[in-house]
Amino acid sequence: MANSCIPPAPASSYQVRIEPDGWVFVAAPNQSVLQAALAAGVELDSSCRNGTCRACLCRLLEGTVSYPIDWPGVSAEERADGWFLPCVAQARSDLVVDQPMAWQAKP
Ligand code: FES
């Protein structure tokens, strides 16, 4: 008999799509969305890469992310409006991200 108190195991990876260009890559649950993008050759604006400068701030159109700690770089109100920090956010579902300034470093 299954124990309903045990949360389901996280997926081994999630698909991330960057709009409006439609680039798609895979993100592991233990890596940031930015790390996954860079590994796939998709460049997103960034600077500090630790959640403080907000250079990477962009909108999450679909999906769920989590942060390893309660990051100060994005307020609860901004999160509610869909803003997130890809340099520290980790995917918890497939994601659709609005980042018109993204570019592809390697096709
Ligand atoms: S790169 Fe500085 S907050 Fe993301």
Side-chain angles (χ1 to χ4, degrees):
M1 177 180 211
N3 184 340
S4 62
C5 295
I6 299 173
S12 59
S13 63
Y14 299 104
Q15 178 179 289
V16 181
R17 188 173 79 237
I18 305 294
E19 296 293 356
D21 291 295
W23 293 314
V24 173
F25 55 88
V26 171
N30 64 347
Q31 70 180 156
S32 73
V33 174
L34 176 64
Q35 288 171 326
L38 295 175
V42 176
E43 300 279 343
L44 305 176
D45 280 345
S46 67
S47 183
C48 72
R49 299 186 181 185
N50 66 17
T52 56
C53 77
R54 297 168 54 97
C56 66
L57 188 69
C58 59
R59 288 207 88 151
L60 185 61
L61 300 176
E62 293 178 26
T64 303
V65 296
S66 70
Y67 295 93
I69 67 168
D70 191 19
W71 236 270
V74 59
S75 71
E77 293 79 14
E78 289 171 321
R79 288 186 203 188
D81 284 343
W83 296 101
F84 84 115
L85 298 172
C87 72
V88 286
Q90 299 173 337
R92 291 295 176 264
S93 71
D94 290 344
L95 306 177
V96 179
V97 175
D98 181 32
Q99 181 43 285
M101 301 301 288
W103 70 98
Q104 194 166 28
K106 53 185 179 187

